[in-house]
Amino acid sequence: AQSVTQLGSHVSVSEGALVLLRCNYSSSVPPYLFWYVQYPNQGLQLLLKYTSAATLVKGINGFEAEFKKSETSFHLTKPSAHMSDAAEYFCAVSDLTDKLIFGTGTRLQVFP
Amino acid sequence: GAGVSQSPSNKVTEKGKDVELRCDPISGHTALYWYRQSLGQGLEFLIYFQGNSAPDKSGLPSDRFSAERTGGSVSTLTIQRTQQEDSAVYLCASSPRTSGRTDTQYFGPGTRLTVL
């Protein structure tokens, strides 16, 4: 079975600081991993995905994530936070039947 | 091009009533998914369509929930005899299903259901 765990339901950073959102996965098959962002009252938007082509994945809005098999992790980072990054972030793994299994989400707050 | 659309955006209903939620996927996308987002349960899968058939309906919480898809396009999620615990945001997503597990799912804005 596949699952993801997001450590930290809330993360607060100052504008310009490093953003680090943690995601660990469990998968009985080679994992395919996704990060989605949800702005208030909107649907989910794909930030980036890992499909085994490269372990360091670059996404939109300056975000990137590194797949580390030894640590079963897929943490999301951004070198310098912007006020517009404030949102909820979800890590997900795709199931054998293609559906997404989501983590519980991390709400990112960015302070000026 | 147009994204995934859902209607209504908000629905308030009384306990015991039936509701229908609609999803229009991106044109040409053969796969369609319904998810539910609630405070207590997070984001959870409900049902998956490939074309008009539903090979995975394992997430439907009870037999009060049903869904159909017609013409390989529009899908309707029906909740009968609504209960207060059905209050949630219902999200629809579609994908082209060109490579299965690695496909990006594109989400609609959701329908916020409130059961009084």
Side-chain angles (χ1 to χ4, degrees):
Chain A
Q2 285 72 37
S3 67
V4 292
T5 301
Q6 291 184 244
L7 293 175
S9 58
H10 289 82
V11 170
S12 298
V13 299
S14 299
E15 193 173 20
L18 172 72
V19 175
L20 171 60
L21 305 182
R22 300 178 185 274
C23 173
N24 288 88
Y25 70 88
S26 173
S27 180
S28 55
V29 296
Y32 298 118
L33 298 157
F34 303 76
W35 275 100
Y36 279 86
V37 61
Q38 187 176 35
Y39 298 102
N41 299 314
Q42 294 187 27
L44 281 77
Q45 179 183 5
L46 181 72
L47 277 176
L48 49 80
K49 63 181 179 181
Y50 167 74
T51 59
S52 76
T55 57
L56 182 62
V57 182
K58 294 186 182 299
I60 62 171
N61 301 337
F63 284 94
E64 63 181 37
E66 186 171 9
F67 173 75
K68 292 187 177 181
K69 184 177 180 180
S70 61
E71 298 177 8
T72 61
S73 69
F74 190 56
H75 301 332
L76 182 70
T77 61
K78 181 173 180 178
S80 176
H82 193 274
M83 296 294 290
S84 61
D85 295 326
E88 189 149 20
Y89 293 79
F90 292 93
C91 182
V93 62
S94 68
D95 188 78
L96 289 174
T97 58
D98 305 348
K99 64 179 179 281
L100 293 173
I101 308 298
F102 287 93
T104 50
T106 298
R107 184 167 299 279
L108 176 66
Q109 286 186 305
V110 182
F111 293 99
Chain B
V4 177
S5 61
Q6 294 186 245
S7 60
S9 54
N10 280 283
K11 176 72 176 178
V12 180
T13 189
E14 293 179 348
K15 178 181 173 181
K17 301 279 190 179
D18 297 352
V19 295
E20 285 189 352
L21 312 179
R22 176 187 169 106
C23 172
D24 282 90
I26 293 172
S27 177
H29 281 192
T30 59
L32 186 147
Y33 306 79
W34 283 97
Y35 296 87
R36 179 168 72 172
Q37 185 174 24
S38 58
L39 282 176
Q41 303 298 324
L43 266 162
E44 52 181 349
F45 165 80
L46 296 177
I47 187 169
Y48 156 54
F49 287 92
Q50 178 57 37
N52 291 335
S53 63
D56 188 352
K57 48 180 82 171
S58 61
L60 293 178
S62 75
D63 59 7
R64 296 187 296 105
F65 287 72
S66 63
E68 65 174 10
R69 189 179 185 194
T70 56
S73 181
V74 172
S75 176
T76 302
L77 177 69
T78 301
I79 308 173
Q80 296 179 310
R81 304 181 302 281
T82 52
Q83 303 294 312
Q84 289 182 331
E85 62 262 28
D86 299 334
S87 296
V89 176
Y90 290 81
L91 293 167
C92 176
S94 70
S95 77
R97 203 167 192 283
T98 52
S99 54
R101 291 180 64 212
T102 62
D103 283 332
T104 296
Q105 293 185 22
Y106 296 85
F107 283 80
T111 293
R112 182 175 298 277
L113 175 66
T114 303
V115 181
L116 301 177

